[in-house]
Amino acid sequence: DGGITQSPKYLFRKEGQNVTLSCEQNLNHDAMYWYRQDPGQGLRLIYYSQIVNDFQKGDIAEGYSVSREKKESFPLTVTSAQKNPTAFYLCASNGRRVEAFFGQGTRLTVV
Amino acid sequence: DQQVKQNSPSLSVQEGRISILNCDYTNSMFDYFLWYKKYPAEGPTFLISISSIKDKNEDGRFTVFLNKSAKHLSLHIVPSQPGDSAVYFCAASVRISYNQGGKLIFGQGTELSVKP
């Protein structure tokens, strides 16, 4: 079945560590996105990529980095520069149609 | 600058009645609007969309209305069922090209509770 797979489902990070969240899609979509969900703030766009080897900052890119070396993969690194990384992270993709499909999310907690 | 706003954090309705969720936007360049449903600790699932050239789109119990002059859209669920209880997000987009949808800008969400 086609879809988007995020891993891991739960992730714990120590202060000062970088962590990488995985996102893979087999929908043959050109565009991929990373969103962050915090209580009461909806989904905020971190980074997005419309094509391989190219990506743009979203509204809250500070403290995050991404790469898009393959069409299927769009990993997100949460760096130590991100001051408040505890959140629910969602990866999405879309192609010809406007509606984006989402993965099941990764819950990141700083310990 | 919040381009998409959902001003009601929560809504409670009785089973069988109509649920109306509202959304406002500020960017007149948006050409598609979407509604997503989300359960806790899961990814959002797409419900229904509407192009800016239309004022209504219907899919079963779900109808979305668009008022471009007021920059307002609403989602109607009739009849409401307890399984509809979830957080509903409004989103807006500007299409990149004829074969590529653009990024989605989301509202804050409205938590719907349908009571039996």
PDB file of all heavy atoms in Angstrom, chain A residues 9 30-31 33 35 37 42-43 45 48 88 90 94-96 98-100 102-103, chain B residues 32 34 36 38 41-44 46 89 95 99-104 106-108:
ATOM      1  N   LYS A   9       8.164   6.378  16.307  1.00  0.00           N
ATOM      2  CA  LYS A   9       6.903   6.954  16.766  1.00  0.00           C
ATOM      3  C   LYS A   9       7.140   7.824  18.004  1.00  0.00           C
ATOM      4  O   LYS A   9       6.515   8.857  18.182  1.00  0.00           O
ATOM      5  CB  LYS A   9       5.908   5.850  17.092  1.00  0.00           C
ATOM      6  CG  LYS A   9       4.489   6.355  17.351  1.00  0.00           C
ATOM      7  CD  LYS A   9       3.503   5.216  17.389  1.00  0.00           C
ATOM      8  CE  LYS A   9       2.095   5.713  17.712  1.00  0.00           C
ATOM      9  NZ  LYS A   9       1.567   6.579  16.640  1.00  0.00           N
ATOM     10  N   ASP A  30       6.203  14.622  -5.571  1.00  0.00           N
ATOM     11  CA  ASP A  30       7.373  15.485  -5.683  1.00  0.00           C
ATOM     12  C   ASP A  30       7.618  16.298  -4.416  1.00  0.00           C
ATOM     13  O   ASP A  30       8.753  16.557  -4.052  1.00  0.00           O
ATOM     14  CB  ASP A  30       7.207  16.449  -6.866  1.00  0.00           C
ATOM     15  CG  ASP A  30       7.424  15.744  -8.201  1.00  0.00           C
ATOM     16  OD1 ASP A  30       8.352  14.928  -8.296  1.00  0.00           O
ATOM     17  OD2 ASP A  30       6.655  16.015  -9.145  1.00  0.00           O
ATOM     18  N   ALA A  31       6.533  16.754  -3.775  1.00  0.00           N
ATOM     19  CA  ALA A  31       6.666  17.673  -2.651  1.00  0.00           C
ATOM     20  C   ALA A  31       6.516  16.956  -1.310  1.00  0.00           C
ATOM     21  O   ALA A  31       5.671  16.074  -1.154  1.00  0.00           O
ATOM     22  CB  ALA A  31       5.621  18.787  -2.751  1.00  0.00           C
ATOM     23  N   TYR A  33       6.789  17.769   3.171  1.00  0.00           N
ATOM     24  CA  TYR A  33       6.667  18.847   4.158  1.00  0.00           C
ATOM     25  C   TYR A  33       6.901  18.315   5.571  1.00  0.00           C
ATOM     26  O   TYR A  33       6.582  17.158   5.857  1.00  0.00           O
ATOM     27  CB  TYR A  33       5.241  19.446   4.109  1.00  0.00           C
ATOM     28  CG  TYR A  33       4.774  19.844   2.734  1.00  0.00           C
ATOM     29  CD1 TYR A  33       4.163  18.921   1.888  1.00  0.00           C
ATOM     30  CD2 TYR A  33       4.954  21.146   2.276  1.00  0.00           C
ATOM     31  CE1 TYR A  33       3.730  19.292   0.622  1.00  0.00           C
ATOM     32  CE2 TYR A  33       4.531  21.515   1.015  1.00  0.00           C
ATOM     33  CZ  TYR A  33       3.922  20.576   0.187  1.00  0.00           C
ATOM     34  OH  TYR A  33       3.504  20.946  -1.069  1.00  0.00           O
ATOM     35  N   TYR A  35       5.800  19.475   9.494  1.00  0.00           N
ATOM     36  CA  TYR A  35       5.002  20.345  10.354  1.00  0.00           C
ATOM     37  C   TYR A  35       5.263  19.982  11.811  1.00  0.00           C
ATOM     38  O   TYR A  35       5.604  18.846  12.141  1.00  0.00           O
ATOM     39  CB  TYR A  35       3.504  20.182  10.084  1.00  0.00           C
ATOM     40  CG  TYR A  35       3.040  20.701   8.747  1.00  0.00           C
ATOM     41  CD1 TYR A  35       3.059  19.894   7.616  1.00  0.00           C
ATOM     42  CD2 TYR A  35       2.575  22.007   8.614  1.00  0.00           C
ATOM     43  CE1 TYR A  35       2.613  20.369   6.387  1.00  0.00           C
ATOM     44  CE2 TYR A  35       2.128  22.489   7.389  1.00  0.00           C
ATOM     45  CZ  TYR A  35       2.153  21.664   6.283  1.00  0.00           C
ATOM     46  OH  TYR A  35       1.721  22.144   5.074  1.00  0.00           O
ATOM     47  N   GLN A  37       3.270  20.219  15.613  1.00  0.00           N
ATOM     48  CA  GLN A  37       2.015  20.511  16.299  1.00  0.00           C
ATOM     49  C   GLN A  37       2.281  20.728  17.782  1.00  0.00           C
ATOM     50  O   GLN A  37       2.881  19.880  18.454  1.00  0.00           O
ATOM     51  CB  GLN A  37       0.993  19.381  16.135  1.00  0.00           C
ATOM     52  CG  GLN A  37      -0.342  19.733  16.772  1.00  0.00           C
ATOM     53  CD  GLN A  37      -1.335  18.598  16.767  1.00  0.00           C
ATOM     54  OE1 GLN A  37      -1.008  17.453  16.531  1.00  0.00           O
ATOM     55  NE2 GLN A  37      -2.589  18.941  17.037  1.00  0.00           N
ATOM     56  N   GLY A  42      -2.159  24.618  16.301  1.00  0.00           N
ATOM     57  CA  GLY A  42      -2.340  24.033  14.988  1.00  0.00           C
ATOM     58  C   GLY A  42      -1.074  23.393  14.464  1.00  0.00           C
ATOM     59  O   GLY A  42      -0.187  22.985  15.220  1.00  0.00           O
ATOM     60  N   LEU A  43      -0.972  23.337  13.157  1.00  0.00           N
ATOM     61  CA  LEU A  43       0.185  22.749  12.489  1.00  0.00           C
ATOM     62  C   LEU A  43       1.003  23.869  11.873  1.00  0.00           C
ATOM     63  O   LEU A  43       0.507  24.605  11.024  1.00  0.00           O
ATOM     64  CB  LEU A  43      -0.262  21.770  11.400  1.00  0.00           C
ATOM     65  CG  LEU A  43      -1.220  20.657  11.832  1.00  0.00           C
ATOM     66  CD1 LEU A  43      -1.589  19.792  10.646  1.00  0.00           C
ATOM     67  CD2 LEU A  43      -0.624  19.831  12.936  1.00  0.00           C
ATOM     68  N   LEU A  45       4.426  25.060   9.733  1.00  0.00           N
ATOM     69  CA  LEU A  45       5.324  24.534   8.714  1.00  0.00           C
ATOM     70  C   LEU A  45       6.776  24.819   9.079  1.00  0.00           C
ATOM     71  O   LEU A  45       7.147  25.972   9.305  1.00  0.00           O
ATOM     72  CB  LEU A  45       4.981  25.154   7.359  1.00  0.00           C
ATOM     73  CG  LEU A  45       5.753  24.669   6.145  1.00  0.00           C
ATOM     74  CD1 LEU A  45       5.506  23.184   5.903  1.00  0.00           C
ATOM     75  CD2 LEU A  45       5.367  25.488   4.922  1.00  0.00           C
ATOM     76  N   TYR A  48       9.930  22.679   3.734  1.00  0.00           N
ATOM     77  CA  TYR A  48       9.292  21.937   2.671  1.00  0.00           C
ATOM     78  C   TYR A  48      10.216  21.832   1.472  1.00  0.00           C
ATOM     79  O   TYR A  48      11.148  22.635   1.321  1.00  0.00           O
ATOM     80  CB  TYR A  48       7.940  22.532   2.279  1.00  0.00           C
ATOM     81  CG  TYR A  48       7.971  23.930   1.732  1.00  0.00           C
ATOM     82  CD1 TYR A  48       7.840  24.175   0.373  1.00  0.00           C
ATOM     83  CD2 TYR A  48       8.102  25.037   2.575  1.00  0.00           C
ATOM     84  CE1 TYR A  48       7.836  25.459  -0.136  1.00  0.00           C
ATOM     85  CE2 TYR A  48       8.106  26.319   2.072  1.00  0.00           C
ATOM     86  CZ  TYR A  48       7.970  26.523   0.731  1.00  0.00           C
ATOM     87  OH  TYR A  48       7.982  27.815   0.227  1.00  0.00           O
ATOM     88  N   PHE A  88       4.918  17.324  18.684  1.00  0.00           N
ATOM     89  CA  PHE A  88       4.501  16.241  17.794  1.00  0.00           C
ATOM     90  C   PHE A  88       4.850  16.673  16.378  1.00  0.00           C
ATOM     91  O   PHE A  88       4.412  17.726  15.914  1.00  0.00           O
ATOM     92  CB  PHE A  88       2.990  16.011  17.955  1.00  0.00           C
ATOM     93  CG  PHE A  88       2.470  14.776  17.298  1.00  0.00           C
ATOM     94  CD1 PHE A  88       3.016  13.531  17.567  1.00  0.00           C
ATOM     95  CD2 PHE A  88       1.401  14.844  16.416  1.00  0.00           C
ATOM     96  CE1 PHE A  88       2.519  12.385  16.970  1.00  0.00           C
ATOM     97  CE2 PHE A  88       0.892  13.701  15.810  1.00  0.00           C
ATOM     98  CZ  PHE A  88       1.465  12.477  16.089  1.00  0.00           C
ATOM     99  N   LEU A  90       4.997  16.076  12.254  1.00  0.00           N
ATOM    100  CA  LEU A  90       4.248  15.419  11.185  1.00  0.00           C
ATOM    101  C   LEU A  90       4.900  15.678   9.843  1.00  0.00           C
ATOM    102  O   LEU A  90       5.240  16.805   9.516  1.00  0.00           O
ATOM    103  CB  LEU A  90       2.805  15.924  11.162  1.00  0.00           C
ATOM    104  CG  LEU A  90       1.941  15.428  12.318  1.00  0.00           C
ATOM    105  CD1 LEU A  90       0.779  16.370  12.541  1.00  0.00           C
ATOM    106  CD2 LEU A  90       1.448  14.025  12.033  1.00  0.00           C
ATOM    107  N   ASN A  94       2.579  15.816  -1.128  1.00  0.00           N
ATOM    108  CA  ASN A  94       1.527  15.919  -2.139  1.00  0.00           C
ATOM    109  C   ASN A  94       2.158  15.938  -3.519  1.00  0.00           C
ATOM    110  O   ASN A  94       3.351  16.149  -3.698  1.00  0.00           O
ATOM    111  CB  ASN A  94       0.564  17.086  -1.904  1.00  0.00           C
ATOM    112  CG  ASN A  94       1.214  18.449  -1.983  1.00  0.00           C
ATOM    113  OD1 ASN A  94       2.402  18.576  -2.259  1.00  0.00           O
ATOM    114  ND2 ASN A  94       0.432  19.479  -1.725  1.00  0.00           N
ATOM    115  N   GLY A  95       1.281  15.672  -4.507  1.00  0.00           N
ATOM    116  CA  GLY A  95       1.757  15.628  -5.872  1.00  0.00           C
ATOM    117  C   GLY A  95       0.889  16.488  -6.749  1.00  0.00           C
ATOM    118  O   GLY A  95       0.774  17.693  -6.535  1.00  0.00           O
ATOM    119  N   ARG A  96       0.217  15.870  -7.719  1.00  0.00           N
ATOM    120  CA  ARG A  96      -0.641  16.603  -8.638  1.00  0.00           C
ATOM    121  C   ARG A  96      -1.832  17.239  -7.921  1.00  0.00           C
ATOM    122  O   ARG A  96      -2.264  18.352  -8.255  1.00  0.00           O
ATOM    123  CB  ARG A  96      -1.132  15.669  -9.734  1.00  0.00           C
ATOM    124  CG  ARG A  96      -1.963  16.317 -10.817  1.00  0.00           C
ATOM    125  CD  ARG A  96      -2.397  15.275 -11.829  1.00  0.00           C
ATOM    126  NE  ARG A  96      -1.254  14.654 -12.492  1.00  0.00           N
ATOM    127  CZ  ARG A  96      -0.724  15.112 -13.619  1.00  0.00           C
ATOM    128  NH1 ARG A  96      -1.228  16.172 -14.210  1.00  0.00           N
ATOM    129  NH2 ARG A  96       0.304  14.493 -14.163  1.00  0.00           N
ATOM    130  N   VAL A  98      -3.937  18.805  -4.622  1.00  0.00           N
ATOM    131  CA  VAL A  98      -3.589  19.746  -3.569  1.00  0.00           C
ATOM    132  C   VAL A  98      -3.514  19.060  -2.210  1.00  0.00           C
ATOM    133  O   VAL A  98      -2.654  19.385  -1.390  1.00  0.00           O
ATOM    134  CB  VAL A  98      -4.604  20.903  -3.516  1.00  0.00           C
ATOM    135  CG1 VAL A  98      -4.339  21.810  -2.332  1.00  0.00           C
ATOM    136  CG2 VAL A  98      -4.557  21.698  -4.803  1.00  0.00           C
ATOM    137  N   GLU A  99      -4.435  18.124  -1.976  1.00  0.00           N
ATOM    138  CA  GLU A  99      -4.461  17.526  -0.633  1.00  0.00           C
ATOM    139  C   GLU A  99      -3.173  16.774  -0.340  1.00  0.00           C
ATOM    140  O   GLU A  99      -2.674  16.016  -1.156  1.00  0.00           O
ATOM    141  CB  GLU A  99      -5.671  16.615  -0.431  1.00  0.00           C
ATOM    142  CG  GLU A  99      -5.817  15.503  -1.417  1.00  0.00           C
ATOM    143  CD  GLU A  99      -6.790  15.875  -2.519  1.00  0.00           C
ATOM    144  OE1 GLU A  99      -6.868  17.070  -2.878  1.00  0.00           O
ATOM    145  OE2 GLU A  99      -7.465  14.952  -3.015  1.00  0.00           O
ATOM    146  N   ALA A 100      -2.640  17.009   0.854  1.00  0.00           N
ATOM    147  CA  ALA A 100      -1.426  16.350   1.295  1.00  0.00           C
ATOM    148  C   ALA A 100      -1.793  15.153   2.156  1.00  0.00           C
ATOM    149  O   ALA A 100      -2.788  15.172   2.883  1.00  0.00           O
ATOM    150  CB  ALA A 100      -0.550  17.326   2.074  1.00  0.00           C
ATOM    151  N   PHE A 102      -0.526  12.589   5.179  1.00  0.00           N
ATOM    152  CA  PHE A 102       0.326  12.690   6.348  1.00  0.00           C
ATOM    153  C   PHE A 102       0.765  11.335   6.862  1.00  0.00           C
ATOM    154  O   PHE A 102       0.045  10.337   6.721  1.00  0.00           O
ATOM    155  CB  PHE A 102      -0.419  13.417   7.483  1.00  0.00           C
ATOM    156  CG  PHE A 102      -0.465  14.905   7.330  1.00  0.00           C
ATOM    157  CD1 PHE A 102      -1.413  15.505   6.499  1.00  0.00           C
ATOM    158  CD2 PHE A 102       0.445  15.709   7.988  1.00  0.00           C
ATOM    159  CE1 PHE A 102      -1.444  16.879   6.350  1.00  0.00           C
ATOM    160  CE2 PHE A 102       0.417  17.087   7.839  1.00  0.00           C
ATOM    161  CZ  PHE A 102      -0.528  17.668   7.020  1.00  0.00           C
ATOM    162  N   GLY A 103       1.945  11.322   7.488  1.00  0.00           N
ATOM    163  CA  GLY A 103       2.375  10.168   8.243  1.00  0.00           C
ATOM    164  C   GLY A 103       1.707  10.153   9.604  1.00  0.00           C
ATOM    165  O   GLY A 103       0.892  11.022   9.928  1.00  0.00           O
TER     166      GLY A 103
ATOM    167  N   TYR B  32      -7.123  27.078  -3.034  1.00  0.00           N
ATOM    168  CA  TYR B  32      -7.746  25.843  -2.571  1.00  0.00           C
ATOM    169  C   TYR B  32      -7.850  25.883  -1.058  1.00  0.00           C
ATOM    170  O   TYR B  32      -6.958  26.399  -0.381  1.00  0.00           O
ATOM    171  CB  TYR B  32      -6.930  24.607  -2.988  1.00  0.00           C
ATOM    172  CG  TYR B  32      -7.231  24.136  -4.382  1.00  0.00           C
ATOM    173  CD1 TYR B  32      -6.515  24.633  -5.461  1.00  0.00           C
ATOM    174  CD2 TYR B  32      -8.227  23.201  -4.612  1.00  0.00           C
ATOM    175  CE1 TYR B  32      -6.792  24.213  -6.746  1.00  0.00           C
ATOM    176  CE2 TYR B  32      -8.507  22.772  -5.898  1.00  0.00           C
ATOM    177  CZ  TYR B  32      -7.790  23.280  -6.957  1.00  0.00           C
ATOM    178  OH  TYR B  32      -8.070  22.865  -8.222  1.00  0.00           O
ATOM    179  N   LEU B  34      -9.047  23.335   2.341  1.00  0.00           N
ATOM    180  CA  LEU B  34      -9.218  21.935   2.698  1.00  0.00           C
ATOM    181  C   LEU B  34      -9.605  21.804   4.171  1.00  0.00           C
ATOM    182  O   LEU B  34      -9.296  22.681   4.984  1.00  0.00           O
ATOM    183  CB  LEU B  34      -7.905  21.159   2.477  1.00  0.00           C
ATOM    184  CG  LEU B  34      -7.249  21.265   1.104  1.00  0.00           C
ATOM    185  CD1 LEU B  34      -6.241  22.424   1.061  1.00  0.00           C
ATOM    186  CD2 LEU B  34      -6.547  19.967   0.753  1.00  0.00           C
ATOM    187  N   TYR B  36      -9.282  18.905   7.333  1.00  0.00           N
ATOM    188  CA  TYR B  36      -8.698  17.658   7.795  1.00  0.00           C
ATOM    189  C   TYR B  36      -9.285  17.311   9.162  1.00  0.00           C
ATOM    190  O   TYR B  36      -9.636  18.194   9.947  1.00  0.00           O
ATOM    191  CB  TYR B  36      -7.175  17.801   7.949  1.00  0.00           C
ATOM    192  CG  TYR B  36      -6.398  17.711   6.664  1.00  0.00           C
ATOM    193  CD1 TYR B  36      -6.304  18.795   5.806  1.00  0.00           C
ATOM    194  CD2 TYR B  36      -5.745  16.534   6.309  1.00  0.00           C
ATOM    195  CE1 TYR B  36      -5.578  18.706   4.627  1.00  0.00           C
ATOM    196  CE2 TYR B  36      -5.019  16.434   5.138  1.00  0.00           C
ATOM    197  CZ  TYR B  36      -4.935  17.525   4.301  1.00  0.00           C
ATOM    198  OH  TYR B  36      -4.216  17.432   3.142  1.00  0.00           O
ATOM    199  N   LYS B  38      -8.434  15.058  12.721  1.00  0.00           N
ATOM    200  CA  LYS B  38      -7.273  14.515  13.404  1.00  0.00           C
ATOM    201  C   LYS B  38      -7.653  13.957  14.770  1.00  0.00           C
ATOM    202  O   LYS B  38      -8.295  14.622  15.571  1.00  0.00           O
ATOM    203  CB  LYS B  38      -6.194  15.589  13.558  1.00  0.00           C
ATOM    204  CG  LYS B  38      -4.891  15.038  14.136  1.00  0.00           C
ATOM    205  CD  LYS B  38      -3.872  16.126  14.322  1.00  0.00           C
ATOM    206  CE  LYS B  38      -2.560  15.538  14.855  1.00  0.00           C
ATOM    207  NZ  LYS B  38      -2.720  14.841  16.128  1.00  0.00           N
ATOM    208  N   ALA B  41      -2.422  11.892  18.675  1.00  0.00           N
ATOM    209  CA  ALA B  41      -1.255  11.052  18.396  1.00  0.00           C
ATOM    210  C   ALA B  41      -1.334  10.358  17.026  1.00  0.00           C
ATOM    211  O   ALA B  41      -0.688   9.324  16.813  1.00  0.00           O
ATOM    212  CB  ALA B  41      -1.058  10.009  19.488  1.00  0.00           C
ATOM    213  N   GLU B  42      -2.126  10.909  16.118  1.00  0.00           N
ATOM    214  CA  GLU B  42      -2.182  10.390  14.753  1.00  0.00           C
ATOM    215  C   GLU B  42      -1.993  11.523  13.757  1.00  0.00           C
ATOM    216  O   GLU B  42      -2.140  12.699  14.102  1.00  0.00           O
ATOM    217  CB  GLU B  42      -3.525   9.711  14.480  1.00  0.00           C
ATOM    218  CG  GLU B  42      -3.758   8.444  15.279  1.00  0.00           C
ATOM    219  CD  GLU B  42      -5.055   7.760  14.897  1.00  0.00           C
ATOM    220  OE1 GLU B  42      -5.683   8.194  13.907  1.00  0.00           O
ATOM    221  OE2 GLU B  42      -5.431   6.809  15.586  1.00  0.00           O
ATOM    222  N   GLY B  43      -1.683  11.171  12.507  1.00  0.00           N
ATOM    223  CA  GLY B  43      -1.620  12.191  11.481  1.00  0.00           C
ATOM    224  C   GLY B  43      -3.006  12.609  11.024  1.00  0.00           C
ATOM    225  O   GLY B  43      -3.956  11.836  11.120  1.00  0.00           O
ATOM    226  N   PRO B  44      -3.163  13.841  10.539  1.00  0.00           N
ATOM    227  CA  PRO B  44      -4.465  14.294  10.018  1.00  0.00           C
ATOM    228  C   PRO B  44      -4.860  13.495   8.779  1.00  0.00           C
ATOM    229  O   PRO B  44      -4.001  13.058   8.015  1.00  0.00           O
ATOM    230  CB  PRO B  44      -4.217  15.757   9.647  1.00  0.00           C
ATOM    231  CG  PRO B  44      -2.943  16.140  10.328  1.00  0.00           C
ATOM    232  CD  PRO B  44      -2.141  14.903  10.443  1.00  0.00           C
ATOM    233  N   PHE B  46      -7.391  13.663   5.345  1.00  0.00           N
ATOM    234  CA  PHE B  46      -8.099  14.595   4.476  1.00  0.00           C
ATOM    235  C   PHE B  46      -9.593  14.281   4.456  1.00  0.00           C
ATOM    236  O   PHE B  46     -10.002  13.119   4.350  1.00  0.00           O
ATOM    237  CB  PHE B  46      -7.520  14.515   3.068  1.00  0.00           C
ATOM    238  CG  PHE B  46      -8.321  15.234   2.034  1.00  0.00           C
ATOM    239  CD1 PHE B  46      -8.348  16.620   1.993  1.00  0.00           C
ATOM    240  CD2 PHE B  46      -9.057  14.527   1.096  1.00  0.00           C
ATOM    241  CE1 PHE B  46      -9.090  17.287   1.040  1.00  0.00           C
ATOM    242  CE2 PHE B  46      -9.798  15.180   0.136  1.00  0.00           C
ATOM    243  CZ  PHE B  46      -9.818  16.555   0.108  1.00  0.00           C
ATOM    244  N   PHE B  89      -9.089  20.600  11.327  1.00  0.00           N
ATOM    245  CA  PHE B  89      -8.207  21.670  10.880  1.00  0.00           C
ATOM    246  C   PHE B  89      -8.652  22.167   9.512  1.00  0.00           C
ATOM    247  O   PHE B  89      -8.905  21.378   8.591  1.00  0.00           O
ATOM    248  CB  PHE B  89      -6.765  21.175  10.770  1.00  0.00           C
ATOM    249  CG  PHE B  89      -6.092  20.951  12.092  1.00  0.00           C
ATOM    250  CD1 PHE B  89      -6.003  19.685  12.641  1.00  0.00           C
ATOM    251  CD2 PHE B  89      -5.535  22.015  12.783  1.00  0.00           C
ATOM    252  CE1 PHE B  89      -5.381  19.473  13.852  1.00  0.00           C
ATOM    253  CE2 PHE B  89      -4.905  21.817  14.003  1.00  0.00           C
ATOM    254  CZ  PHE B  89      -4.830  20.547  14.537  1.00  0.00           C
ATOM    255  N   ARG B  95      -1.856  26.755  -5.421  1.00  0.00           N
ATOM    256  CA  ARG B  95      -1.324  25.717  -6.302  1.00  0.00           C
ATOM    257  C   ARG B  95      -0.069  26.217  -7.005  1.00  0.00           C
ATOM    258  O   ARG B  95      -0.037  27.348  -7.508  1.00  0.00           O
ATOM    259  CB  ARG B  95      -2.393  25.301  -7.303  1.00  0.00           C
ATOM    260  CG  ARG B  95      -1.925  24.279  -8.317  1.00  0.00           C
ATOM    261  CD  ARG B  95      -3.078  23.807  -9.187  1.00  0.00           C
ATOM    262  NE  ARG B  95      -3.833  22.752  -8.538  1.00  0.00           N
ATOM    263  CZ  ARG B  95      -3.465  21.478  -8.516  1.00  0.00           C
ATOM    264  NH1 ARG B  95      -2.357  21.093  -9.097  1.00  0.00           N
ATOM    265  NH2 ARG B  95      -4.211  20.589  -7.916  1.00  0.00           N
ATOM    266  N   ASN B  99       0.250  20.683 -12.300  1.00  0.00           N
ATOM    267  CA  ASN B  99       0.528  19.320 -11.843  1.00  0.00           C
ATOM    268  C   ASN B  99       1.238  19.278 -10.497  1.00  0.00           C
ATOM    269  O   ASN B  99       1.854  18.284 -10.141  1.00  0.00           O
ATOM    270  CB  ASN B  99       1.334  18.550 -12.891  1.00  0.00           C
ATOM    271  CG  ASN B  99       2.723  19.135 -13.091  1.00  0.00           C
ATOM    272  OD1 ASN B  99       3.006  20.220 -12.618  1.00  0.00           O
ATOM    273  ND2 ASN B  99       3.568  18.425 -13.796  1.00  0.00           N
ATOM    274  N   GLN B 100       1.149  20.339  -9.731  1.00  0.00           N
ATOM    275  CA  GLN B 100       1.789  20.341  -8.417  1.00  0.00           C
ATOM    276  C   GLN B 100       1.018  21.208  -7.438  1.00  0.00           C
ATOM    277  O   GLN B 100       0.911  22.431  -7.610  1.00  0.00           O
ATOM    278  CB  GLN B 100       3.228  20.844  -8.514  1.00  0.00           C
ATOM    279  CG  GLN B 100       3.962  20.870  -7.161  1.00  0.00           C
ATOM    280  CD  GLN B 100       4.012  19.505  -6.477  1.00  0.00           C
ATOM    281  OE1 GLN B 100       4.492  18.527  -7.040  1.00  0.00           O
ATOM    282  NE2 GLN B 100       3.513  19.444  -5.261  1.00  0.00           N
ATOM    283  N   GLY B 101       0.493  20.534  -6.415  1.00  0.00           N
ATOM    284  CA  GLY B 101      -0.141  21.273  -5.333  1.00  0.00           C
ATOM    285  C   GLY B 101       0.905  21.994  -4.500  1.00  0.00           C
ATOM    286  O   GLY B 101       2.074  21.630  -4.507  1.00  0.00           O
ATOM    287  N   GLY B 102       0.510  23.015  -3.805  1.00  0.00           N
ATOM    288  CA  GLY B 102       1.455  23.801  -3.012  1.00  0.00           C
ATOM    289  C   GLY B 102       1.419  23.437  -1.534  1.00  0.00           C
ATOM    290  O   GLY B 102       0.722  22.519  -1.117  1.00  0.00           O
ATOM    291  N   LYS B 103       2.177  24.193  -0.742  1.00  0.00           N
ATOM    292  CA  LYS B 103       2.214  23.962   0.699  1.00  0.00           C
ATOM    293  C   LYS B 103       0.866  24.331   1.306  1.00  0.00           C
ATOM    294  O   LYS B 103       0.151  25.195   0.795  1.00  0.00           O
ATOM    295  CB  LYS B 103       3.333  24.785   1.343  1.00  0.00           C
ATOM    296  CG  LYS B 103       3.147  26.282   1.200  1.00  0.00           C
ATOM    297  CD  LYS B 103       4.322  27.049   1.803  1.00  0.00           C
ATOM    298  CE  LYS B 103       4.101  28.551   1.658  1.00  0.00           C
ATOM    299  NZ  LYS B 103       5.226  29.341   2.198  1.00  0.00           N
ATOM    300  N   LEU B 104       0.541  23.675   2.402  1.00  0.00           N
ATOM    301  CA  LEU B 104      -0.709  23.936   3.110  1.00  0.00           C
ATOM    302  C   LEU B 104      -0.436  24.778   4.346  1.00  0.00           C
ATOM    303  O   LEU B 104       0.495  24.502   5.104  1.00  0.00           O
ATOM    304  CB  LEU B 104      -1.378  22.624   3.528  1.00  0.00           C
ATOM    305  CG  LEU B 104      -1.756  21.655   2.411  1.00  0.00           C
ATOM    306  CD1 LEU B 104      -2.528  20.475   2.976  1.00  0.00           C
ATOM    307  CD2 LEU B 104      -2.571  22.345   1.341  1.00  0.00           C
ATOM    308  N   PHE B 106      -2.181  25.935   7.820  1.00  0.00           N
ATOM    309  CA  PHE B 106      -3.244  25.416   8.670  1.00  0.00           C
ATOM    310  C   PHE B 106      -3.718  26.442   9.698  1.00  0.00           C
ATOM    311  O   PHE B 106      -2.954  27.301  10.147  1.00  0.00           O
ATOM    312  CB  PHE B 106      -2.764  24.177   9.426  1.00  0.00           C
ATOM    313  CG  PHE B 106      -2.694  22.946   8.581  1.00  0.00           C
ATOM    314  CD1 PHE B 106      -1.572  22.677   7.815  1.00  0.00           C
ATOM    315  CD2 PHE B 106      -3.747  22.047   8.551  1.00  0.00           C
ATOM    316  CE1 PHE B 106      -1.509  21.541   7.017  1.00  0.00           C
ATOM    317  CE2 PHE B 106      -3.696  20.906   7.766  1.00  0.00           C
ATOM    318  CZ  PHE B 106      -2.571  20.656   6.999  1.00  0.00           C
ATOM    319  N   GLY B 107      -4.982  26.298  10.083  1.00  0.00           N
ATOM    320  CA  GLY B 107      -5.516  27.010  11.230  1.00  0.00           C
ATOM    321  C   GLY B 107      -5.161  26.267  12.507  1.00  0.00           C
ATOM    322  O   GLY B 107      -4.490  25.232  12.500  1.00  0.00           O
ATOM    323  N   GLN B 108      -5.664  26.804  13.630  1.00  0.00           N
ATOM    324  CA  GLN B 108      -5.296  26.268  14.937  1.00  0.00           C
ATOM    325  C   GLN B 108      -6.083  25.014  15.310  1.00  0.00           C
ATOM    326  O   GLN B 108      -5.722  24.301  16.248  1.00  0.00           O
ATOM    327  CB  GLN B 108      -5.509  27.312  16.033  1.00  0.00           C
ATOM    328  CG  GLN B 108      -4.794  28.620  15.797  1.00  0.00           C
ATOM    329  CD  GLN B 108      -5.690  29.633  15.120  1.00  0.00           C
ATOM    330  OE1 GLN B 108      -6.385  29.328  14.126  1.00  0.00           O
ATOM    331  NE2 GLN B 108      -5.680  30.854  15.624  1.00  0.00           N
TER     332      GLN B 108
END
